[in-house]
Amino acid sequence: MDGCGVSVIIAAHRAHDTIARAVSSLLAQDWTDWEAIIVSDDGTDYRPTLDSAGLSDPRLHFTDTGRIGAGAPAARNAGLRMASKPLVAPLDADDRFVPERLAALAPLAARHGAAADNVAVVRDRDGSPLSTLFPPGDGVAELDADGFLLTSVPMFFVVRRDLVPGWEEDVNFCDDVVFNVQVLDRVGSVPLVLRPLYEYRQREGSITFSSDSGDRAERCYRHVLARLAGDGLRIADPSLRGRFAAAVDAKRALNAAYEAAHRAGRCTNFQEFLALRENSLAG
């Protein structure tokens, strides 16, 4: 289908142990009209790593931020500048796409401006499934900003390139949340494929496992609130800005509860805390 090619942007920082898995998941896609833009943010070249894994394809393109540790938003913006396809999709370097993901989402994104899917949370060290963001299903639902603001697992929309706002380079922890709200501000709502087609890997050593993850989240939330009160974070709808601010306040309270549970040794990361909290509420 015309207009459904996808530029997949992979921000890579100390990702030599996982990049082959992410790229392999692209090579396994049923949908073949894609390019991958791998953006080094650590001053290293990822081509030899992929070549040694037997992963060579003319659809793989490489660039860098010109810095070390500029952050995922800066890396994604560098990739966006190289993007040539009508659609854009971020892929974290330690995550993977299920083979039918682009085939399911690309036509929907081309038609509606953006599209989303369910997310499978997987423990990286053994590949065991932990949870899904939404109850899995075979249909397509609708996700609006209010529904999105209730989520606590990262989501990665496929977005028409002319609607991509770019990533806020001064927002380095919850940048995916800000990006998605900005997209929803532009398109209103997105179709949500209920099958979990994005595999979000929980990996020791990642930012969410770091000892200061709660502090980093709190700093990010305060900064987002300051931006909302100032320039509005490029969100045109004043009502959405207010609802986003209220959701950030709720996330701050949840983050404070996580910090308390983490200090008490009841959980090792935020997603584990959410699972414990859900089980407690269910009991």
Side-chain angles (χ1 to χ4, degrees):
M1 182 185 295
D2 291 340
C4 291
V6 187
S7 294
V8 180
I9 300 174
I10 305 176
H13 179 76
R14 298 177 181 172
H16 289 277
D17 291 341
T18 63
I19 191 75
R21 179 177 63 204
V23 170
S24 292
S25 77
L26 289 180
L27 294 170
Q29 289 296 299
D30 299 333
W31 190 265
T32 58
D33 187 5
W34 57 264
E35 64 178 0
I37 304 169
I38 297 156
V39 187
S40 172
D41 189 35
D42 57 16
T44 67
D45 186 353
Y46 281 83
R47 277 169 284 213
T49 296
L50 293 174
D51 288 343
S52 66
L55 302 174
S56 178
D57 191 284
R59 293 171 294 180
L60 303 180
H61 309 292
F62 299 85
T63 188
D64 59 72
T65 61
R67 292 175 281 171
I68 296 176
R76 289 175 182 146
N77 284 336
L80 183 61
R81 289 190 286 272
M82 283 189 65
S84 66
K85 299 290 187 179
L87 304 172
V88 171
L91 169 60
D92 275 3
D94 50 1
D95 294 341
R96 63 183 293 273
F97 288 172
V98 172
E100 60 268 30
R101 185 176 196 254
L102 293 181
L105 267 62
L108 289 172
R111 189 176 309 124
H112 298 279
D117 58 342
N118 203 347
V119 180
V121 182
V122 174
R123 186 164 54 208
D124 191 61
R125 68 172 180 267
D126 58 9
S128 61
L130 298 176
S131 63
T132 58
L133 176 55
F134 302 101
D138 292 325
V140 178
E142 183 178 0
L143 181 69
D144 61 13
D146 292 328
F148 169 72
L149 289 172
L150 294 174
T151 63
S152 296
V153 174
M155 295 186 74
F156 299 90
F157 295 175
V158 178
V159 187
R160 217 171 63 209
R161 183 155 54 97
D162 62 302
L163 294 171
V164 172
W167 285 265
E168 302 290 340
E169 296 190 15
D170 60 331
V171 180
N172 255 323
F173 193 87
C174 50
D175 52 282
D176 56 303
V177 177
V178 171
F179 178 87
N180 291 342
V181 173
Q182 290 172 333
V183 170
L184 290 163
D185 179 52
R186 295 179 175 208
V187 302
S189 63
V190 298
L192 171 67
V193 175
L194 293 175
R195 283 174 291 161
L197 302 178
Y198 188 101
E199 193 172 280
Y200 172 65
R201 310 284 294 207
Q202 278 198 352
R203 184 171 61 88
E204 284 103 351
S206 67
I207 289 175
T208 54
F209 271 81
S210 64
S211 59
D212 67 342
S213 63
D215 289 339
R216 293 186 63 176
E218 173 62 17
R219 290 196 300 271
C220 175
Y221 293 147
R222 289 201 306 263
H223 180 65
V224 166
L225 288 171
R227 286 282 308 271
L228 284 169
D231 65 4
L233 265 174
R234 297 188 293 157
I235 297 169
D237 181 358
S239 173
L240 178 54
R241 291 198 299 267
R243 300 193 320 270
F244 188 16
V248 170
D249 280 331
K251 289 178 185 295
R252 289 181 72 192
L254 190 64
N255 184 61
Y258 158 66
E259 279 287 274
H262 185 266
R263 286 193 299 268
R266 295 198 298 271
C267 59
T268 59
N269 62 80
F270 187 70
Q271 297 302 326
E272 186 178 308
F273 163 73
L274 290 178
L276 291 171
R277 182 173 178 269
E278 184 176 330
N279 291 336
S280 174
L281 293 173

